[in-house]
Amino acid sequence: MSAKFDAVSAAPATRRDGLRWMARRGANALAALVCGALALWLASRHPLAPVLACALCLLWLGAAWRWPRLWLIVVPAGMPWLSLAPWTGWIAADETDLLVLVALAAGHARLAMQGPPASSLPARWSWRDALLLALGLSLLAGMWLAWADLQRLPPHPSGPYTSFENSLRVGKSLAYALLAVPLLRDALQRSAASAQRGLAAGLVAGLAAFALGVLWEREALPGLLNFASDYRTAGLFWEMHVGGAAIDGYLALAVPFAVWAVVSARRPLAWGAAALLALVLAYVCLTTFARGVYGAVAGSLAVVGLLLHRQPRGAPADAGPPWRRRANAVLRVLLVAQVVLMALASSFLFDRLGDTKEDFGSRLSHWMRGVSVLQTPSAWLGGIGLGRLPEHYADIDRAGEFPGAAVALADPERPGGQFLRLYGPPTRPQLAGRYALTQQVALVPGARYRVGLDVRMAQPTRLRILVCERHLIYEGDCQIRHLTVRRGSNGAWQHVELDLAGPPLEAGAAWAPRRVSLELAVTRPGGAVDLDNLSLAAGGQPVALRNAGFEQGLAQWFPVVDSYFLPWHIDNLYLEWLIERGVLALLVFAALVAWALWRVSFGAARGRPLAPYLAAGLAGACALGLVSSIMDMPRVAFLFLLLLFFSLHLPRTAAVASPPAHV
């Protein structure tokens, strides 16, 4: 194995250097052990295929060990699609956690196996290191405050978003990004050019996979060319099952790298593929009908154009044969035409733009209510704890309450020992039925579905049972039945079987099959229903249900919320830092973002090939953060922090030439 060492095996320059190197090596080994063990533990608990998940983790571990910079391609490429949450029911973690944890384990293991450096280690920490340390300490403080807050408050029947799981869900992105910093430094020290190409290629690959997912989504439900409906593209960001801006943040961060793909293409075939991706991404952005996306993406593209224009002559933006300059001009015309045609075809787009002023007023009220949870000076300084906003916001008053909840409870007398308790909203009738617990089921085209279940109600309430064509929070055709159990049942368990009524469900196009889910919702405020031993049939044939008796808790059941998302998101990047992490953490975060933007826009790293695109992605995300939350969307938050830390560590340009005089 000694032949595999990547660093020069030389004795440290001084005894102090030797001790510091040994300490770093020990820290790398510990990080590798913890990340690897956590990845295998999560994989072994995978609700669908634990053996396969463990095997894939081991394969990925071997590949990441064999090719040290591969993770810079694979991890960004997997972020927008590698999640099976609607099938697994995982909320606090998903398959991207396995991808990142294994990459971190392999990277830190390699660093631990490297020989000592030939030259002395830096004697002092830089301001960058001090700020990163402060960010790490704020993460630990936020987790501790969240734990203390949970011990102080009474239990809240609202599922994972009011438990410590949500603190882990919100905090893990920063933890992963901080653990990736040594890997980023190593990759950039080995070859800054190769690291930049790898990161950009990974982001472009992720954009391509993401775009394919959106084309499937649009064709499966509203139709590719249906621009009149109020369907808003969500992609494969299942975190948006309670609303949020995951797709918005991803597009703001990643779309500038589609420009990199066009600018960097050297052959007509590669340019054509990059241009096609750019056109599809324009379609995706437009069909989100999100004003924040429009502004953030347009702004990030403007930043790319400005910074490329400032680059010295001979930079990639200016290089290339005449055909490519003509092709770029045609692409710009096609993109503008696409925007114009979309504006003419979609009345919903104009409705969204027309509601801007009214929506800003409601958003301002939402921000003020969110900030009102900061009741003490210590809360202002250190925040209320990571992941604690949803519960605190819901407890302010009735206007912010949760629309429902699902909890698996133990009952030794029941077969399997557990059952489901499904809640409606505590008081507000307008929220009834907006929370549903779902499971993905097989689509049987043209068949009538029949549901069987054990049910118990302590008081009269109403249960809605549906089988629907669904993508995230949007429904297509549904078969439905309402069930009410009267008080005369004395709260005893009853077995009920119901035929659902509604149109037959269709399979959709062969390349874009529709997803179908069984859905359960309480449609009266203050109600709660106990459920167990569910069964499903279609056309007289049984349809498989997983964890139908809730023996595994809520595994493979996934909650969705319709049109009401106030408790879960503050809709502002800077307020979510302030409320959950405090003023001190917000200042550290702002300093790091400002420093990174300066370095890749006007500072020491501005001459690097990837600098304009990094600056544009970060600027777009920061602009979007004025009206959207990002840190509560783990995959997008990790990608944002990865680009931020990459920008901070991008090496200084050896000699940054001035722009040509004619620019």
Side-chain angles (χ1 to χ4, degrees):
M1 180 131 350
S2 60
K4 297 290 185 181
F5 284 157
D6 297 300
V8 178
S9 294
T14 66
R15 179 179 177 85
R16 178 177 296 179
D17 284 344
L19 293 175
R20 291 168 62 196
W21 169 73
M22 289 295 292
R24 289 189 182 184
R25 185 175 181 177
N28 291 137
L30 179 62
L33 180 63
V34 171
C35 291
L38 183 56
L40 289 176
W41 179 77
L42 281 174
S44 69
R45 297 173 63 86
H46 195 280
L48 299 179
V51 175
L52 178 61
C54 290
L56 291 176
C57 282
L58 293 174
L59 287 174
W60 171 224
L61 181 67
W65 170 269
R66 176 64 179 81
W67 295 285
R69 290 183 291 274
L70 185 62
W71 75 274
L72 267 176
I73 302 173
V74 174
V75 170
M79 282 297 111
W81 61 271
L82 187 58
S83 175
L84 299 175
W87 292 268
T88 63
W90 274 1
I91 301 295
D94 61 20
E95 288 70 19
T96 57
D97 291 86
L98 303 179
L99 180 71
V100 175
L101 284 168
V102 172
L104 292 173
H108 279 280
R110 285 191 65 89
L111 292 178
M113 294 292 292
Q114 286 181 356
S119 58
S120 297
L121 297 172
R124 295 180 179 178
W125 279 24
S126 66
W127 279 105
R128 179 189 62 195
D129 297 327
L131 289 173
L132 290 175
L133 176 61
L135 208 59
L137 293 175
S138 75
L139 172 63
L140 296 177
M143 298 297 288
W144 182 84
L145 287 171
W147 179 261
D149 190 53
L150 279 163
Q151 309 313 305
R152 181 178 58 85
L153 295 178
H156 203 297
S158 299
Y161 285 97
T162 58
S163 72
F164 195 64
E165 284 185 43
N166 198 44
S167 303
L168 295 172
R169 189 187 72 88
V170 172
K172 66 182 180 181
S173 301
L174 178 54
Y176 293 161
L178 289 171
L179 285 170
V181 166
L183 280 61
L184 289 175
R185 289 175 175 168
D186 181 65
L188 289 167
Q189 287 170 2
R190 291 171 182 272
S191 173
S194 177
Q196 291 175 86
R197 288 193 301 269
L199 177 65
L203 286 161
V204 171
L207 280 168
F210 162 77
L212 290 174
V214 168
L215 293 178
W216 159 69
E217 171 197 357
R218 296 287 306 182
E219 174 62 24
L221 275 184
L224 278 174
L225 301 180
N226 180 0
F227 304 128
S229 75
D230 61 355
Y231 187 100
R232 299 176 60 189
T233 296
L236 304 181
F237 286 104
W238 312 116
E239 298 93 330
M240 296 172 64
H241 68 120
V242 289
I247 189 173
D248 311 50
Y250 178 73
L251 288 169
L253 281 167
V255 163
F257 293 89
V259 181
W260 173 86
V262 173
V263 170
S264 302
R266 291 292 176 265
R267 299 181 182 276
L269 184 61
W271 184 92
L276 178 61
L277 176 61
L279 290 169
V280 174
L281 289 174
Y283 168 87
V284 173
C285 291
L286 290 168
T287 56
T288 63
F289 296 104
R291 292 153 299 188
V293 169
Y294 297 165
V297 170
S300 66
L301 294 178
V303 170
V304 166
L306 175 64
L307 295 180
L308 288 177
H309 189 64
R310 287 174 49 87
Q311 282 193 331
R313 184 174 299 179
D318 299 320
W323 70 263
R324 200 176 70 172
R325 290 193 290 272
R326 292 192 294 269
N328 287 343
V330 172
L331 177 59
R332 287 192 287 268
V333 171
L334 290 175
L335 289 170
V336 171
Q338 190 175 7
V339 173
V340 172
L341 290 174
M342 178 70 173
L344 294 175
S346 175
S347 58
F348 182 56
L349 188 150
F350 283 103
D351 292 340
R352 290 284 298 162
L353 295 177
D355 291 339
T356 300
K357 183 176 180 180
E358 179 181 349
D359 286 353
F360 180 76
S362 61
R363 188 156 299 193
L364 183 61
S365 175
H366 177 48
W367 293 339
M368 294 174 66
R369 285 172 52 84
V371 172
S372 70
V373 306
L374 300 173
Q375 297 287 332
T376 64
S378 61
W380 279 91
L381 282 176
I384 61 174
L386 286 176
R388 300 301 297 146
L389 174 63
E391 181 168 0
H392 281 265
Y393 190 96
D395 286 342
I396 293 173
D397 56 35
R398 291 177 50 192
E401 68 185 33
F402 289 107
V407 181
L409 299 175
D411 184 353
E413 297 182 3
R414 296 293 301 166
Q418 292 203 114
F419 65 93
L420 170 71
R421 178 160 294 168
L422 189 64
Y423 294 89
T427 62
R428 299 178 63 192
Q430 59 268 44
L431 300 183
R434 296 207 178 178
Y435 177 97
L437 193 66
T438 73
Q439 182 174 134
Q440 303 297 306
V441 298
L443 170 61
V444 183
R448 179 79 61 197
Y449 283 85
R450 181 178 179 85
V451 175
L453 69 161
D454 292 346
V455 61
R456 180 177 67 180
M457 300 183 187
Q459 58 185 6
T461 189
R462 202 176 191 199
L463 176 69
R464 185 180 67 201
I465 306 171
L466 306 94
V467 174
C468 283
E469 301 165 354
R470 174 180 285 278
H471 182 83
L472 204 58
I473 60 175
Y474 293 101
E475 293 177 349
D477 290 334
C478 294
Q479 296 182 16
I480 184 172
R481 188 71 178 268
H482 287 88
L483 170 66
T484 301
V485 178
R486 303 298 177 186
R487 187 182 298 273
S489 61
N490 295 321
W493 285 96
Q494 302 180 54
H495 183 76
V496 179
E497 296 198 3
L498 302 167
D499 289 315
L500 306 186
L505 307 183
E506 302 298 333
W511 67 273
R514 294 173 181 168
R515 295 190 304 113
V516 172
S517 60
L518 171 65
E519 306 178 12
L520 308 167
V522 173
T523 59
R524 286 183 182 171
V529 180
D530 295 341
L531 302 171
D532 201 358
N533 298 327
L534 277 75
S535 62
L536 184 66
Q541 299 298 317
V543 175
L545 279 180
R546 300 171 300 279
N547 192 23
F550 305 97
E551 297 88 354
Q552 304 170 40
L554 297 181
Q556 303 180 61
W557 292 90
F558 193 64
V560 295
V561 176
D562 177 30
S563 305
Y564 172 78
F565 314 120
L566 291 182
W568 289 279
H569 314 284
I570 195 60
D571 293 330
N572 188 288
L573 169 63
Y574 311 100
L575 288 182
E576 65 179 331
W577 274 88
L578 172 65
I579 294 171
E580 292 196 342
R581 307 168 196 244
V583 170
L584 298 178
L586 173 60
L587 291 175
V588 172
F589 169 73
L592 286 170
V593 170
W595 192 354
L597 282 171
W598 174 261
R599 291 190 83 250
V600 293
S601 299
F602 308 105
R606 69 183 185 274
R608 292 290 177 179
L610 209 61
Y613 311 99
L614 290 167
L618 292 175
C622 290
L624 179 73
L626 295 171
V627 293
S628 298
S629 301
I630 293 178
M631 301 307 296
D632 57 2
M633 300 283 110
R635 289 186 281 168
V636 178
F638 172 74
L639 194 59
F640 174 64
L641 293 167
L642 185 68
L643 297 186
L644 173 64
F645 295 166
F646 192 94
S647 301
L648 287 168
H649 290 86
L650 196 61
R652 178 186 297 270
T653 309
V656 181
S658 300
H662 69 276
V663 175

